[in-house]
CSV table of all heavy atoms in Angstrom, one decimal:
chain,number,residue,atom,x,y,z
A,340,GLN,N,-27.1,-28.1,55.9
A,340,GLN,CA,-25.9,-28.1,56.6
A,340,GLN,C,-25.4,-26.7,56.8
A,340,GLN,O,-24.9,-26.3,57.9
A,340,GLN,CB,-24.8,-28.9,55.9
A,340,GLN,CG,-25.0,-30.4,56.1
A,340,GLN,CD,-24.0,-31.2,55.2
A,340,GLN,OE1,-23.8,-30.9,54.0
A,340,GLN,NE2,-23.3,-32.1,55.9
A,341,ALA,N,-25.5,-25.9,55.7
A,341,ALA,CA,-25.1,-24.5,55.8
A,341,ALA,C,-25.9,-23.8,56.9
A,341,ALA,O,-25.3,-23.0,57.7
A,341,ALA,CB,-25.3,-23.8,54.5
A,342,GLN,N,-27.2,-24.0,57.0
A,342,GLN,CA,-28.0,-23.4,58.1
A,342,GLN,C,-27.5,-23.8,59.5
A,342,GLN,O,-27.5,-23.0,60.4
A,342,GLN,CB,-29.5,-23.7,57.9
A,342,GLN,CG,-30.1,-22.9,56.7
A,342,GLN,CD,-29.8,-21.4,56.9
A,342,GLN,OE1,-30.0,-20.8,57.9
A,342,GLN,NE2,-29.4,-20.8,55.8
A,343,GLN,N,-27.2,-25.1,59.6
A,343,GLN,CA,-26.7,-25.6,60.9
A,343,GLN,C,-25.3,-24.9,61.2
A,343,GLN,O,-25.1,-24.5,62.4
A,343,GLN,CB,-26.4,-27.1,60.8
A,343,GLN,CG,-27.7,-28.0,60.8
A,343,GLN,CD,-27.3,-29.4,60.8
A,343,GLN,OE1,-26.6,-29.9,59.9
A,343,GLN,NE2,-27.7,-30.2,61.8
A,344,ILE,N,-24.5,-24.8,60.3
A,344,ILE,CA,-23.2,-24.1,60.5
A,344,ILE,C,-23.4,-22.7,60.9
A,344,ILE,O,-22.8,-22.2,61.8
A,344,ILE,CB,-22.3,-24.2,59.2
A,344,ILE,CG1,-21.9,-25.6,58.9
A,344,ILE,CG2,-21.1,-23.2,59.2
A,344,ILE,CD1,-21.3,-25.9,57.5
A,345,ILE,N,-24.3,-22.0,60.2
A,345,ILE,CA,-24.6,-20.6,60.5
A,345,ILE,C,-25.1,-20.5,62.0
A,345,ILE,O,-24.7,-19.6,62.7
A,345,ILE,CB,-25.6,-20.0,59.5
A,345,ILE,CG1,-24.9,-19.8,58.2
A,345,ILE,CG2,-26.2,-18.7,60.0
A,345,ILE,CD1,-25.9,-19.6,57.0
A,346,SER,N,-26.1,-21.3,62.3
A,346,SER,CA,-26.7,-21.3,63.7
A,346,SER,C,-25.6,-21.5,64.8
A,346,SER,O,-25.5,-20.8,65.8
A,346,SER,CB,-27.8,-22.3,63.8
A,346,SER,OG,-28.9,-22.0,63.0
A,347,ALA,N,-24.8,-22.6,64.6
A,347,ALA,CA,-23.8,-22.9,65.6
A,347,ALA,C,-22.8,-21.8,65.7
A,347,ALA,O,-22.3,-21.5,66.8
A,347,ALA,CB,-23.1,-24.3,65.2
A,348,THR,N,-22.4,-21.3,64.6
A,348,THR,CA,-21.3,-20.2,64.6
A,348,THR,C,-21.9,-19.0,65.3
A,348,THR,O,-21.2,-18.4,66.2
A,348,THR,CB,-20.9,-19.9,63.2
A,348,THR,OG1,-20.4,-21.0,62.5
A,348,THR,CG2,-19.8,-18.8,63.2
A,349,GLU,N,-23.1,-18.6,65.0
A,349,GLU,CA,-23.7,-17.4,65.6
A,349,GLU,C,-23.8,-17.6,67.1
A,349,GLU,O,-23.5,-16.7,67.9
A,349,GLU,CB,-25.0,-17.1,65.0
A,349,GLU,CG,-24.9,-16.4,63.7
A,349,GLU,CD,-26.3,-16.2,63.0
A,349,GLU,OE1,-27.3,-16.8,63.4
A,349,GLU,OE2,-26.3,-15.4,62.0
A,350,GLU,N,-24.1,-18.8,67.6
A,350,GLU,CA,-24.2,-19.0,69.0
A,350,GLU,C,-22.9,-18.9,69.7
A,350,GLU,O,-22.7,-18.3,70.7
A,350,GLU,CB,-24.8,-20.4,69.2
A,350,GLU,CG,-25.3,-20.7,70.6
A,350,GLU,CD,-26.0,-22.0,70.7
A,350,GLU,OE1,-27.0,-22.2,69.9
A,350,GLU,OE2,-25.6,-22.9,71.5
A,351,LYS,N,-21.8,-19.5,69.1
A,351,LYS,CA,-20.5,-19.5,69.7
A,351,LYS,C,-19.9,-18.1,69.7
A,351,LYS,O,-19.2,-17.7,70.6
A,351,LYS,CB,-19.5,-20.4,68.9
A,351,LYS,CG,-19.6,-21.8,69.4
A,351,LYS,CD,-19.0,-22.0,70.8
A,351,LYS,CE,-19.1,-23.4,71.3
A,351,LYS,NZ,-18.6,-23.5,72.6
A,352,LEU,N,-20.2,-17.3,68.7
A,352,LEU,CA,-19.6,-16.0,68.6
A,352,LEU,C,-20.2,-15.0,69.6
A,352,LEU,O,-19.6,-13.9,69.9
A,352,LEU,CB,-19.8,-15.4,67.2
A,352,LEU,CG,-18.9,-16.0,66.1
A,352,LEU,CD1,-19.2,-15.4,64.7
A,352,LEU,CD2,-17.5,-15.9,66.4
A,397,GLU,N,-18.2,-27.5,67.6
A,397,GLU,CA,-19.6,-27.5,67.2
A,397,GLU,C,-19.7,-28.2,65.8
A,397,GLU,O,-20.6,-29.0,65.6
A,397,GLU,CB,-20.1,-26.1,67.1
A,397,GLU,CG,-20.2,-25.4,68.4
A,397,GLU,CD,-21.0,-26.1,69.5
A,397,GLU,OE1,-22.1,-26.6,69.2
A,397,GLU,OE2,-20.4,-26.3,70.6
A,398,PHE,N,-18.7,-27.9,65.0
A,398,PHE,CA,-18.8,-28.6,63.6
A,398,PHE,C,-18.6,-30.1,63.7
A,398,PHE,O,-19.2,-30.8,63.0
A,398,PHE,CB,-17.7,-28.0,62.7
A,398,PHE,CG,-17.9,-26.5,62.5
A,398,PHE,CD1,-16.8,-25.7,62.3
A,398,PHE,CD2,-19.2,-25.9,62.5
A,398,PHE,CE1,-16.9,-24.3,62.1
A,398,PHE,CE2,-19.3,-24.5,62.3
A,398,PHE,CZ,-18.2,-23.7,62.1
A,401,MET,N,-21.6,-31.9,64.3
A,401,MET,CA,-22.5,-32.0,63.1
A,401,MET,C,-21.9,-33.1,62.2
A,401,MET,O,-22.5,-33.3,61.1
A,401,MET,CB,-22.5,-30.7,62.4
A,401,MET,CG,-23.2,-29.6,63.0
A,401,MET,SD,-23.0,-28.1,62.0
A,401,MET,CE,-22.8,-26.9,63.3
A,465,HIS,N,-22.5,-16.0,54.1
A,465,HIS,CA,-23.0,-15.4,55.3
A,465,HIS,C,-21.9,-14.8,56.1
A,465,HIS,O,-20.8,-15.3,56.1
A,465,HIS,CB,-23.7,-16.5,56.2
A,465,HIS,CG,-24.4,-15.9,57.3
A,465,HIS,ND1,-25.8,-15.6,57.2
A,465,HIS,CD2,-24.1,-15.7,58.6
A,465,HIS,CE1,-26.2,-15.1,58.4
A,465,HIS,NE2,-25.2,-15.1,59.2
A,467,PHE,N,-20.6,-13.2,59.8
A,467,PHE,CA,-20.8,-13.3,61.2
A,467,PHE,C,-20.0,-12.1,61.9
A,467,PHE,O,-18.8,-12.2,61.9
A,467,PHE,CB,-20.3,-14.6,61.8
A,467,PHE,CG,-20.9,-15.8,61.1
A,467,PHE,CD1,-20.2,-16.4,60.0
A,467,PHE,CD2,-22.0,-16.4,61.5
A,467,PHE,CE1,-20.7,-17.5,59.3
A,467,PHE,CE2,-22.5,-17.5,60.9
A,467,PHE,CZ,-21.9,-18.1,59.8
Side-chain angles (χ1 to χ4, degrees):
Q340 286 175 307
Q342 285 306 313
Q343 286 181 302
I344 290 165
I345 290 168
S346 296
T348 303
E349 286 176 340
E350 194 173 303
K351 274 293 179 184
L352 287 179
E397 297 304 311
F398 300 149
M401 292 178 217
H465 191 87
F467 306 91

